[in-house]
Amino acid sequence: MTPLASCLALLLSGVTHRHVKDWSDHALWWEKKKTWLLKTHWTLDKYGIQADAKLQFTPQHKLLRLQLPNMKYVKVKVNFSDRVFKAVSDICKTFNIRHPEELSLLRKPRDPSKKKKKKLDDQCEDDAFELEGPLITPGSGEPGFFCVCYPVLTIYRWLDSSRSLMEQEVKENEALLLRFKYYSFFDLNPKYDAIRINQLYEQSKWAILLEEIECTEEEMMMFAALQYHINKLSIMSSENHLNNSDKEVDEVDAALSDLEITLEGGKTSTILGDITSIPELADYIKVFKPKKLTLKGYKPYWCTFKDTSISCYKSKEEANGTPAHQMNLRGCEVTPDVNISGQKFNIKLLIPVAEGMNEIWLRCDNETQYASWMAACRLASKGKTMADSSYGMEVQNILSFLKMQHLNPDPQLIPEQITTDINPECLVSPRYLKKYKNKQITARILEAHQNVAQMSLIEAKMRFIQAWQSLPEFGITHFIARFQGGKKEELIGIAYNRLIRMDASTGDAVKTWRFSNMKQWNVNWEIKMVTVEFADDVRVSFICTEVDCKVVHEFIGGYIFLSTRAKDQNESLDEEMFYKLTSGWV
């Protein structure tokens, strides 16, 4: 049998042109089987091709209209025969974005009932400019104010990272979206990641404006103030940005340790401190355990925090005896409930037990106490103690987050000054636009702006991203699921470090399982059921009712891949390992 390469050579020998054409990028595409015939040493018989098969001889590289997280459209050539994972890696090289494994491509379905919206989308896509080389230098890339396209992100569909664009029926010149898919950001560094940080800031900004993630009123005004500050700095001329980019990085260089994002799998401090002892917390904390048909409120206890457990005593003098209550926070859900103006500093704990989750509330007296205990709770939920090198950084991040929410009215700010360049409709979500008048929102944004007015552009973006990561619902992707043995639809939440079983009506966590305790996971492809096995013989099985189980499988595999990546994997990504983890054969 004749190899495919010989058949192609014979085909091209009969093609005559006035000028010689380079056919090296062309390959055969079998539309019926949705397959590229790239193994040229194979025979047609081995591919299963019969005489009636229709094959298309087409370029592998084709144009895409790509919408970036900042809503700008660009046209870029992409290899339609590569797996999406590899295609995204090449796209990120064009844009000078490090760690492309954190991003992927989305397809946005059209809504035929919204003709005006469709025309607006088409206009935005038609304004796309074509890229032939690197987008911009790593030190530049600041956005304009806002694109006129106001997206609806909740209806987007992720492409399969283990299959090519053509296999997923993506057409040439089709509009796709480039987004951060996995909320695990490795080594965010202002020295090297100006473009990556900007695009991440843009995606987080839209998530907050579109209410894809919940935040309190005080937090919303803080985010609005940061946006306003960033916008003010961004309207400087591009020449000033280029001339001052090195200076700007130098200004925040000394504060990098405070600004770097230190999530699991990310960069952590190398300061070990005293490794001979594990720090402890001991203080009076108000504790509340909600029960049905009870009106009892918070009760003060002398609480000690050791390792990953909290022990509660009726008084300090009884601390050497048996505790009234004791709770191990390993694997628990930790949620803040804070109101700065009302001086409310609560910590909600959902602690796993055999029958589900026990709900416990802790109330702290002030910001300092809250930051210490909240940081300890977050680490304990991951199985870490306060001896971990990230504890001090976590405390400082929480305090910084609280400080930015303080309102410090300037007595010199008279009403006439409120008519500034602030446009509340671009800075806060629709919920608060309905609740307050524009003048009221503007005044509150100006008050909050006083806490961030001295920040440089890159620092403000980093603070915005950091604050976004501090929100309780950060990084959770939700799917409607039916658990094995369950009678009703529930939610399964997948975060960078855990699976969460959630009540579909309230969104509350019912049970949490940490990936660090996971032994293995697999999919029954016939019935589309995902099964995850954890330590202590815990087994979780569920079927997703609105998306293919492959999507959930890829999220789990992707996060496992990201949690084990090496520190310097920017140059050489382990594509095969990612493919194995996300496609179902490990």
Side-chain angles (χ1 to χ4, degrees):
M1 298 292 289
T2 306
L4 184 58
S6 301
C7 297
L8 288 173
L10 184 63
L11 172 67
L12 295 177
S13 65
V15 179
T16 59
H17 287 282
R18 183 174 299 175
H19 301 289
V20 178
K21 185 171 181 177
D22 182 6
W23 299 98
S24 60
D25 187 49
H26 284 60
L28 290 173
W29 167 252
W30 192 358
E31 176 65 31
K32 184 178 179 180
K33 297 291 185 180
K34 295 287 186 281
T35 302
W36 283 96
L37 309 184
L38 300 177
K39 297 178 180 179
T40 54
H41 60 284
W42 280 22
T43 63
L44 295 177
D45 183 60
K46 190 171 183 178
Y47 268 114
I49 296 173
Q50 304 297 325
D52 60 344
K54 294 183 179 179
L55 305 180
Q56 182 182 357
F57 191 55
T58 180
Q60 297 174 70
H61 285 81
K62 303 175 186 293
L63 279 177
L64 270 184
R65 289 179 295 172
L66 201 64
Q67 189 196 64
L68 304 179
N70 64 359
M71 307 304 162
K72 304 286 186 181
Y73 278 91
V74 295
K75 288 183 180 179
V76 61
K77 274 198 172 182
V78 179
N79 192 331
F80 275 54
S81 66
D82 275 342
R83 296 171 186 157
V84 167
F85 182 84
K86 176 64 166 59
V88 170
S89 181
D90 291 340
I91 289 170
C92 289
K93 285 181 182 178
T94 302
F95 297 150
N96 292 320
I97 296 176
R98 296 197 309 152
H99 300 293
E101 64 272 22
E102 298 169 359
L103 299 93
S104 193
L105 296 174
L106 288 162
R107 173 182 272 135
K108 181 177 64 174
R110 295 291 189 183
D111 187 346
S113 65
K114 297 182 179 179
K115 295 182 179 179
K116 291 184 179 179
K117 175 70 165 57
K118 184 176 185 301
K119 290 180 181 178
L120 188 59
D121 283 344
D122 289 341
Q123 180 182 349
C124 292
E125 293 168 15
D126 290 341
D127 291 339
F129 60 90
E130 186 171 346
L131 295 177
E132 296 180 353
L135 178 65
I136 27 186
T137 60
S140 62
E142 309 306 339
F145 262 65
F146 291 89
C147 176
V148 293
C149 305
Y150 207 79
V152 183
L153 297 176
T154 52
I155 59 173
Y156 295 159
R157 294 172 293 143
W158 292 105
L159 293 182
D160 187 337
S161 294
S162 61
R163 298 166 60 211
S164 71
L165 293 172
M166 289 277 276
E167 289 176 70
Q168 300 179 72
E169 300 182 347
V170 176
K171 307 298 182 184
E172 185 171 11
N173 278 317
E174 184 173 334
L176 294 180
L177 290 73
L178 180 69
R179 294 290 187 273
F180 289 87
K181 178 178 182 178
Y182 300 105
Y183 296 94
S184 178
F185 314 124
F186 186 74
D187 187 26
L188 274 179
N189 193 323
K191 285 185 175 180
Y192 313 112
D193 291 319
I195 298 170
R196 179 173 169 228
I197 289 170
N198 177 59
Q199 296 299 335
L200 191 52
Y201 157 71
E202 290 286 341
Q203 184 165 326
S204 61
K205 177 188 74 177
W206 283 111
I208 290 165
L209 288 176
L210 296 174
E211 299 179 358
E212 291 180 351
I213 185 169
E214 290 286 335
C215 65
T216 66
E217 192 171 303
E218 290 176 330
E219 290 166 346
M220 178 59 73
M221 298 307 160
M222 174 201 64
F223 283 121
L226 282 168
Q227 283 186 71
Y228 170 63
H229 185 62
I230 290 168
N231 289 343
K232 283 184 66 176
L233 297 180
S234 295
I235 59 174
M236 297 169 61
S237 67
S238 58
E239 281 188 17
N240 287 341
H241 279 305
L242 292 173
N243 292 338
N244 295 334
S245 60
D246 292 336
K247 178 182 177 183
E248 189 173 80
V249 170
D250 290 339
E251 288 175 352
V252 297
D253 192 27
L256 281 182
S257 60
D258 292 329
L259 295 175
E260 286 173 346
I261 308 304
T262 54
L263 295 176
E264 283 187 12
K267 187 174 181 180
T268 58
S269 170
T270 57
I271 301 174
L272 297 178
D274 182 8
I275 61 175
T276 61
S277 63
I278 297 177
E280 299 176 1
L281 291 175
D283 209 342
Y284 277 104
I285 300 289
K286 297 181 179 69
V287 180
F288 172 55
K289 185 176 182 180
K291 293 182 179 179
K292 292 183 179 179
L293 303 177
T294 181
L295 297 176
K296 292 183 179 179
Y298 287 89
K299 185 177 181 180
Y301 285 93
W302 177 258
C303 297
T304 61
F305 204 134
K306 298 180 181 180
D307 295 326
T308 60
S309 296
I310 297 177
S311 299
C312 304
Y313 303 89
K314 292 183 179 180
S315 67
K316 183 177 180 181
E317 291 70 29
E318 299 181 17
N320 292 326
T322 303
H325 305 287
Q326 193 168 33
M327 41 199 163
N328 192 321
L329 272 56
R330 186 185 294 267
C332 76
E333 282 292 307
V334 184
T335 306
D337 180 26
V338 175
N339 184 300
I340 302 293
S341 59
Q343 288 295 291
K344 182 175 74 171
F345 304 101
N346 293 344
I347 302 172
K348 178 183 177 182
L349 302 173
L350 292 175
I351 303 171
V353 292
E355 61 275 11
M357 304 282 268
N358 273 347
E359 184 176 344
I360 304 289
W361 288 77
L362 306 180
R363 171 166 287 180
C364 299
D365 292 331
N366 52 59
E367 294 183 18
T368 304
Q369 187 186 59
Y370 168 80
S372 299
W373 284 77
M374 175 56 110
C377 290
R378 285 179 175 171
L379 262 65
S381 71
K382 304 171 187 177
K384 299 178 181 180
T385 71
M386 287 173 278
D388 190 86
S389 59
S390 63
Y391 175 70
M393 177 73 73
E394 185 71 30
V395 173
Q396 291 305 314
N397 286 343
I398 293 171
L399 288 172
S400 174
F401 186 47
L402 297 176
K403 184 179 178 181
M404 286 192 296
Q405 298 177 56
H406 286 187
L407 293 182
N408 304 304
D410 188 342
Q412 297 180 351
L413 192 67
I414 57 176
E416 288 75 10
Q417 291 178 298
I418 292 180
T419 57
T420 64
D421 54 345
I422 292 182
N423 181 2
E425 294 181 359
C426 294
L427 300 175
V428 300
S429 66
R431 178 190 305 176
Y432 298 106
L433 290 173
K434 295 176 183 177
K435 188 174 180 180
Y436 298 104
K437 296 180 179 178
N438 280 7
K439 197 170 183 178
Q440 293 173 306
I441 296 174
T442 299
R444 293 190 62 180
I445 292 174
L446 286 174
E447 290 173 6
H449 180 251
Q450 296 176 59
N451 295 319
V452 302
Q454 303 305 315
M455 292 183 184
S456 66
L457 184 60
I458 195 76
E459 184 182 359
K461 289 179 180 177
M462 288 289 284
R463 290 294 185 189
F464 193 102
I465 295 168
Q466 195 175 56
W468 173 49
Q469 290 177 294
S470 297
L471 297 177
E473 295 181 5
F474 165 77
I476 302 176
T477 304
H478 301 89
F479 300 96
I480 298 176
R482 191 181 298 276
F483 286 82
Q484 190 174 36
K487 297 181 179 179
K488 61 179 181 179
E489 288 186 336
E490 299 178 72
L491 289 178
I492 184 76
I494 303 180
Y496 73 96
N497 60 353
R498 65 200 189 279
L499 283 179
I500 313 166
R501 184 173 183 173
M502 310 173 79
D503 188 301
S505 58
T506 64
D508 292 337
V510 176
K511 192 80 172 177
T512 298
W513 304 275
R514 297 272 164 181
F515 288 146
S516 57
N517 294 327
M518 185 171 68
K519 294 166 62 177
Q520 66 176 5
W521 83 100
N522 57 71
V523 176
N524 184 328
W525 299 105
E526 292 184 5
I527 62 174
K528 305 296 184 182
M529 177 174 284
V530 180
T531 299
V532 189
E533 295 182 24
F534 295 90
D536 302 323
D537 297 324
V538 175
R539 186 185 181 96
V540 182
S541 299
F542 58 90
I543 295 174
C544 291
T545 58
E546 289 194 342
V547 299
D548 192 278
C549 60
K550 177 69 171 64
V551 178
V552 176
H553 190 280
E554 184 169 314
F555 265 96
I556 297 174
Y559 278 127
I560 298 302
F561 173 81
L562 295 182
S563 68
T564 57
R565 58 187 166 179
K567 283 190 175 182
D568 186 15
Q569 219 170 47
N570 184 45
E571 298 298 326
S572 179
L573 294 175
D574 192 348
E575 182 184 347
E576 285 304 313
M577 178 53 69
F578 183 91
Y579 176 62
K580 290 177 182 179
L581 286 170
T582 58
S583 62
W585 55 284
V586 182

